[in-house]
Amino acid sequence: MFQNLFIGFLPSIGKAVIRTDMSKNCAQILRRFCMIMRQNFAKSCEDKLNDQINLELKACHQYLAMAYHFDRADVSSPGIHSFFLKASMEERDHAELIMKYMNKRGGLIRLSTVPEPLAEFGDALGALKYALQMELEVNQHLLDVHALAGKENDPNLCDFIEANFLQEQVDGQKVLADFIRQLERAKSDIGDYLFDKYMASAGMHQEIKKR
């Protein structure tokens, strides 16, 4: 109450400065409460997980752009559209899973700007090849997170990455590689049409575990 009375006598600029300072102090105090339960969670692991979150969101946006490219009237591939739309939602789920884990460990989530995704692809084969390269990039970063967790002696983070991501990534890469080869063999107008019908029920990953 005294603080409110004191602020009332100050010029408007002074009030704004004090309120800003008070807000910062409150945020710092709340952050300390979050840090109370933090144990054996290195800053390097926190930073690497933030990078992984943003990489998953980058993939989410790219798959979303790819899905709606194949939904265009001049492309009209509903199966490919459905496949990439599922992939986009899965990548968002991955990002949210890591964010929930970060909060459990007392980390600070930092979301960065998502790069503009590629908006157009010549055909489904080119899009699938691009998707495979993207999945390989995501998987390599997950392997780097796991290696860093081992170096920092963080078995909980190692278990989290192993249980939720590593095998799923390998399975997803195999699915994409199979689709690429199948589409290469079926390369014709009728082949593209039949492949698209098949893709309508396909998915890259199994449903992730919610922890």
Side-chain angles (χ1 to χ4, degrees):
M1 182 175 179
F2 173 76
Q3 288 176 333
N4 290 335
L5 287 172
F6 174 70
I7 291 173
F9 287 108
L10 292 174
S12 58
I13 294 178
K15 291 178 186 178
V17 170
I18 289 179
R19 286 198 177 98
T20 300
D21 289 341
M22 290 175 65
S23 297
K24 288 180 179 178
N25 290 336
C26 288
Q28 289 172 356
I29 291 169
L30 291 172
R31 179 68 188 145
R32 289 194 191 100
F33 279 117
C34 182
M35 296 288 286
I36 287 173
M37 36 73 77
R38 181 168 179 147
Q39 182 182 28
N40 192 39
F41 188 42
K43 183 66 167 58
S44 58
C45 291
E46 178 183 327
D47 292 341
K48 201 73 171 173
L49 278 178
N50 270 315
D51 291 342
Q52 187 67 42
I53 291 168
N54 287 291
L55 198 58
E56 300 284 355
L57 291 175
K58 175 187 172 185
C60 168
H61 276 66
Q62 182 59 68
Y63 280 133
L64 193 62
M66 293 162 85
Y68 281 94
H69 165 76
F70 287 99
D71 187 53
R72 283 168 31 180
D74 61 332
V75 180
S76 189
S77 295
I80 304 290
H81 163 74
S82 176
F83 177 77
F84 283 134
L85 196 59
K86 289 176 189 175
S88 176
M89 291 186 287
E90 287 163 358
E91 297 302 334
R92 176 174 171 143
D93 286 345
H94 291 165
E96 290 181 352
L97 184 65
I98 300 171
M99 286 190 273
K100 288 178 182 177
Y101 178 79
M102 283 275 276
N103 284 339
K104 289 179 182 179
R105 296 297 303 272
L108 181 62
I109 297 168
R110 297 183 184 276
L111 300 181
S112 63
T113 303
V114 178
E116 181 180 349
L118 292 180
E120 290 187 291
F121 291 86
D123 55 19
L125 182 60
L128 287 169
K129 287 181 177 180
Y130 190 84
L132 178 57
Q133 290 304 312
M134 192 162 53
E135 289 296 323
L136 289 170
E137 179 186 2
V138 170
N139 189 46
Q140 183 57 57
H141 199 275
L142 283 166
L143 295 174
D144 293 344
V145 174
H146 187 274
L148 179 62
K151 180 181 176 182
E152 296 288 358
N153 193 27
D154 190 337
N156 186 269
L157 179 53
C158 286
D159 178 69
F160 172 74
I161 297 296
E162 291 169 7
N164 293 285
F165 294 100
L166 296 188
Q167 188 57 51
E168 181 182 304
Q169 282 297 131
V170 171
D171 293 342
Q173 288 161 203
K174 175 64 164 58
V175 167
L176 284 170
D178 286 347
F179 286 163
I180 289 168
R181 186 65 192 116
Q182 289 165 14
L183 191 51
E184 284 176 338
R185 289 204 304 263
K187 201 65 181 132
S188 66
D189 287 343
I190 187 63
D192 285 350
Y193 173 77
L194 293 174
F195 184 78
D196 184 72
K197 299 286 281 185
Y198 167 71
M199 289 287 281
S201 61
M204 201 185 317
H205 303 301
Q206 295 179 351
E207 186 177 352
I208 64 171
K209 302 172 186 175
K210 300 287 185 182
R211 285 196 168 185

